Amino acid sequence: MAATFQSPDFYRLDDLLTEEQKMTRDTVRGWVQDKVVPVIASHYQACTFPRDLVPEMAQLGLLGPTLPEAYGCAGMDQVAAGLVMQELERGDSAMRSFASVQGSLVMYPIFTYGSEAQKDHWLPRLARGEAIGCFGLTEPDAGSDPGSMKTRAERRGDAWVLNGTKMWITNGTMADVAVVWARTPEGFGGFLVEKGTPGFSAPEMKGKLSLRASVTSELIFEDCPVPEANRLPAARGLKAPLSCLNQARYGIAWGVVGAAAACYDEALRYARERIMFEGPIARFQLVQDKLVWMLNEITKAQLLVWKLGKMKDEGTLRHAQVSLAKMNCVWMARECARLARDIEGANGILDEYCAMRHMQNLESVYTYEGTHDVHKLVVGADITGYEAFRTVTAPVDR
Amino acid sequence: MNVLVCVKHVPDTETRVKVAADGLHLDLGEANWVVNPYDEYAVEQGLQLKEKLGGEVTVITVGGDDATKSLRQALAMGADKAVLCSDPAFEDADPWSTARILAAAAAKLPCDLILSGKHGVGGDNQQVGSLLGQLMGIPVVTVVTGMDLEGTSLMLKREIEGGTEVVKASLPCVISCQKGLNEPRYPSLKGIMAAKKKEITAWKAADLGLDPATLAPSFQLKKMELPPPRPAGKILSGEIPDQVKELVKLLHDEAKAI
């Protein structure tokens, strides 16, 4: 809605933030309000990504905000970076997904596992938004279990040849560079595949009822040659791509708090203004129950992600802690979006309200970057020592 | 060109204002305080001049310690230096005293041009820029929506009733900025990090050679009240031609609009 967003801060958690963090948050909030909110519903309906906003996102420093200034990035702390994601996803999960992929899944692996030449070539371009990146790990038959991937890279002389198909790849069709993970004779490796490489195509996937303002693609490799210089030298085994996903999941945990806050703010305004039985519906106990549920969960999530960020800045964050946050925050955001839509009645299904768009987006977020259930089992494994998702049980023969 | 930009720390215009129990102050609750929106045009204009001509942009404010938030915002947008004029004697400064404080500070700073917003939201006095120019003995052009440098003069567009006026002013001068002059930039994340390292100079009355006794407000606020609530609207009924006649009559006799 046109009214300026009022973020819930029931426990004055703003007191936990530094001046720079608050200014970062307020800047991105203002930009999202001015540039994303007015156009996002029509992009969602048209199934298009607002690509014209990428240069502005780059100018603001939203692409890889924690990476060093030497590569044209801002060198922000993790809490500030989380707040960026929160504000982007308040606009739409597509905006946060774009920034997540560019920053956490493309710039981060190049920064962490790339050669000096790869870093110097790609990071400034990616930070300036002149190049767009995507991350190819998931396959049609390898989602939660990336170790079962079929895409393979074979050595041919000094180069590599890639064969296989990736699926559900955000930014794929518009990407200038794809960070692609494939089986190698040594295990698994990461490759930078440039747009236009022979044997590489990235058709857009159609028919989505969620994340409609985001580009989702297949990546197809048919005897696609990749020079050795484009292999990420320090990425060995699946730990490398999983470490990238951990970065992205951190951003998701923050991001969805923004989506939930947008839904709460909208539902609260609606409840105060909607007159039924000669008074605002906000006076009904059942409406208050929903609003309080939302505020309660949002407040807890705000505290959770702030502490998550502090641990990340300290370098003590464990992946199971990220899993718990991703699991909890997306779940609560999805519930908030549903409750908001419920409060808004029939109006809530219109695209002039944000609740249903967020709700549909969050259905994807709930199962991408590790499904809700797999994150639950990651935490389960952490506390019990048993990795439930790896247990293979032979079917009973009747 | 060295530009001095005057900014004010004000409550967000979306704040729901209540009059405090004493009837003399506003109860702003937990209002969000921001840079006066018109001052953002002034900051942006200063930055554009710097980018074109070189020099430095200094932002200045009269206010409490909390006003550093607005100075940091301007530094994050790209201003080079900031000055906070803060003193218990400045607390109830009226436009005249504020202009005197700014004039005393401007005399200590290298500046070829002074920019401000056309007015500060909240107080809405629209006086400080004009008084500042008067005190400094330099030209003042208000409500400016366009600016071009021609040699050592500025060609300025300003809004007047039903039209636009083009004014030439010699430097140094004071310009108050209006919406339409430019599109203020957002501070970038890099700008925010850089602002952290920039110094904010604090000046008290004594640093500016001002005698606190002379800064007492020149007028006294007697009472504040909110406008009366809007009365309910009137809906006419009956045949359309009769409604039109009734409407014209009401607009003429009651509303006195025609």
Side-chain angles (χ1 to χ4, degrees):
Chain A
M1 299 301 291
T4 306
F5 168 69
Q6 297 281 320
S7 179
D9 187 10
F10 200 63
Y11 267 38
R12 279 216 340 264
L13 300 180
D14 253 23
D15 294 351
L16 298 174
L17 303 178
T18 65
E19 285 307 314
E20 291 74 34
Q21 288 163 352
K22 280 188 269 193
M23 202 187 290
T24 299
R25 194 252 334 258
D26 293 347
T27 296
V28 184
R29 181 172 291 171
W31 180 80
V32 167
Q33 189 69 32
D34 294 345
K35 301 298 176 81
V36 177
V37 170
V39 302
I40 197 64
S42 56
H43 277 287
Y44 192 90
Q45 292 284 19
C47 238
T48 50
F49 172 72
R51 193 167 174 175
D52 55 322
L53 294 178
V54 172
E56 293 188 36
M57 291 173 83
Q59 174 66 33
L60 285 171
L62 309 187
L63 308 177
T66 59
L67 295 184
E69 289 175 49
Y71 296 112
C73 303
M76 305 293 286
D77 62 65
Q78 295 292 342
V79 171
L83 289 163
V84 169
M85 295 299 164
Q86 173 187 291
E87 294 308 316
L88 287 176
E89 193 145 8
R90 179 175 78 77
D92 194 276
S93 299
M95 303 310 294
R96 199 268 308 135
S97 293
F98 175 84
S100 279
V101 169
Q102 184 89 346
S104 302
L105 298 182
V106 178
M107 296 171 76
Y108 173 83
I110 293 173
F111 176 72
T112 309
Y113 303 110
S115 65
E116 290 306 316
Q118 289 166 348
K119 288 191 236 185
D120 291 341
H121 179 76
W122 285 111
L123 293 178
R125 284 176 175 78
L126 291 160
R128 290 196 296 265
E130 291 164 10
I132 290 174
C134 70
F135 178 89
L137 176 67
T138 300
E139 298 185 356
D141 298 316
S144 296
D145 180 13
S148 66
M149 74 167 71
K150 294 195 178 74
T151 300
R152 62 189 192 280
E154 289 165 329
R155 264 201 182 275
R156 233 173 256 174
D158 287 345
W160 296 83
V161 173
L162 261 59
N163 275 290
T165 303
K166 299 292 180 180
M167 207 173 184
W168 309 111
I169 310 304
T170 301
N171 297 355
T173 308
M174 59 181 176
D176 301 289
V177 60
V179 177
V180 180
W181 303 92
R183 287 185 177 281
T184 61
E186 296 82 32
F188 296 94
F191 301 86
L192 303 178
V193 183
E194 294 180 38
K195 190 177 205 158
T197 305
F200 171 42
S201 60
E204 187 166 357
M205 294 174 64
K206 300 289 181 191
K208 284 181 298 172
L209 296 175
S210 172
L211 287 178
R212 287 172 61 87
S214 179
V215 173
T216 311
S217 316
E218 284 181 75
L219 306 181
I220 300 167
F221 305 95
E222 292 167 316
D223 288 328
C224 173
V226 179
E228 167 63 15
N230 284 21
R231 190 176 62 85
L232 295 172
R236 293 196 189 86
L238 276 181
K239 274 206 166 148
L242 293 179
S243 75
C244 303
L245 292 176
N246 226 28
Q247 305 296 314
R249 288 162 185 161
Y250 169 80
I252 292 171
W254 274 95
V256 294
V257 177
C263 293
Y264 168 77
D265 180 55
E266 181 176 88
L268 178 60
R269 278 170 209 273
Y270 187 91
R272 284 162 133 172
E273 287 164 12
R274 175 73 172 173
I275 307 295
M276 203 50 59
F277 301 105
E278 295 164 5
I281 62 169
R283 75 193 195 283
F284 297 130
Q285 291 182 3
L286 291 176
V287 172
Q288 291 186 6
D289 174 59
K290 295 180 180 83
L291 290 168
V292 172
W293 192 94
M294 293 160 82
L295 180 64
N296 182 27
E297 289 300 332
I298 291 169
T299 303
K300 289 188 284 181
Q302 286 170 329
L303 202 47
L304 184 76
V305 291
W306 175 80
K307 180 61 176 148
L308 197 71
K310 295 299 279 183
M311 291 191 289
K312 197 161 194 291
D313 273 326
E314 290 160 9
T316 59
L317 186 61
R318 295 186 305 114
H319 77 278
Q321 291 167 324
V322 179
S323 283
L324 187 135
K326 193 270 181 187
M327 176 186 88
N328 174 75
C329 293
V330 182
W331 162 76
M332 79 87 197
R334 191 178 71 161
E335 293 305 313
C336 283
R338 289 170 171 178
L339 288 171
R341 211 294 298 166
D342 183 348
I343 290 169
E344 291 163 11
N347 285 307
I349 73 164
L350 296 174
D351 70 2
E352 66 183 273
Y353 292 81
C354 73
M356 186 125 169
R357 180 167 45 80
H358 280 303
M359 182 177 94
Q360 288 176 217
N361 284 337
L362 290 163
E363 289 294 335
S364 289
V365 183
Y366 193 75
T367 56
Y368 81 11
E369 300 266 2
T371 66
H372 184 81
D373 289 352
V374 165
H375 284 300
K376 196 173 275 179
L377 297 182
V378 169
V379 178
D382 191 71
I383 57 175
T384 65
Y386 293 101
E387 290 186 321
F389 47 84
R390 291 205 199 282
T391 308
V392 178
T393 312
V396 181
D397 192 4
R398 284 177 190 270
Chain B
M1 183 186 295
N2 292 311
V3 183
L4 181 65
V5 183
C6 308
V7 300
K8 188 178 181 185
H9 194 53
V10 298
D12 191 335
T13 49
E14 298 231 346
T15 308
R16 281 164 194 250
V17 177
K18 277 186 285 186
V19 177
D22 65 3
L24 294 173
H25 293 87
L26 291 178
D27 178 3
L28 296 167
E30 289 183 5
N32 185 31
W33 289 71
V34 297
V35 182
N36 172 39
Y38 295 101
D39 299 344
E40 290 189 355
Y41 302 116
V43 174
E44 176 63 34
Q45 198 62 25
L47 295 174
Q48 288 185 13
L49 287 167
K50 176 184 109 166
E51 283 158 5
K52 212 159 143 189
L53 305 167
E56 282 191 337
V57 173
T58 304
V59 283
I60 187 166
T61 194
V62 178
D65 285 344
D66 56 337
T68 53
K69 184 188 166 192
S70 281
L71 293 176
R72 288 263 176 240
Q73 173 91 6
L75 291 171
M77 286 171 77
D80 302 283
K81 291 174 180 165
V83 177
L84 172 68
C85 302
S86 190
D87 191 294
F90 299 168
E91 263 173 33
D92 289 320
D94 61 12
W96 173 246
S97 298
T98 304
R100 285 185 59 214
I101 296 161
L102 290 171
K108 293 171 61 134
L109 296 163
C111 57
D112 307 305
L113 175 64
I114 299 177
L115 298 172
S116 73
K118 81 169 172 85
H119 79 275
V121 302
D124 282 25
N125 293 301
Q126 314 199 39
Q127 292 181 28
V128 172
S130 304
L131 292 170
L132 177 58
Q134 180 69 23
L135 282 166
M136 296 181 73
I138 57 175
V140 177
V141 185
T142 57
V143 203
V144 166
T145 56
M147 185 185 290
D148 279 309
L149 189 70
E150 276 187 16
T152 55
S153 299
L154 288 174
M155 295 301 285
L156 301 151
K157 276 188 195 158
R158 61 189 303 273
E159 282 186 350
I160 55 168
E161 191 75 34
T164 306
E165 191 176 64
V166 179
V167 177
K168 187 175 177 181
S170 60
L171 293 167
C173 59
V174 177
I175 307 293
S176 82
C177 305
Q178 163 71 319
K179 185 178 180 168
L181 178 61
N182 53 45
E183 190 66 40
R185 69 194 66 189
Y186 299 92
S188 70
L189 269 54
K190 269 192 265 185
I192 291 168
M193 294 304 279
K196 206 167 137 179
K197 294 173 200 137
K198 294 177 187 170
E199 202 183 329
I200 295 179
T201 306
W203 282 340
K204 291 183 170 300
D207 299 315
L208 298 170
L210 293 167
D211 176 3
T214 66
L215 292 168
S218 51
F219 60 83
Q220 208 184 350
L221 181 69
K222 302 299 277 185
K223 194 181 165 195
M224 257 188 197
E225 57 188 21
L226 292 175
R230 256 176 39 179
K234 196 175 275 184
I235 297 174
L236 302 176
S237 59
E239 294 296 315
I240 295 294
D242 296 336
Q243 282 194 40
V244 171
K245 274 185 208 154
E246 178 68 7
L247 180 64
V248 171
K249 184 169 163 282
L250 288 171
L251 285 172
H252 187 267
D253 297 350
E254 270 190 30
K256 304 208 188 301
I258 53 174

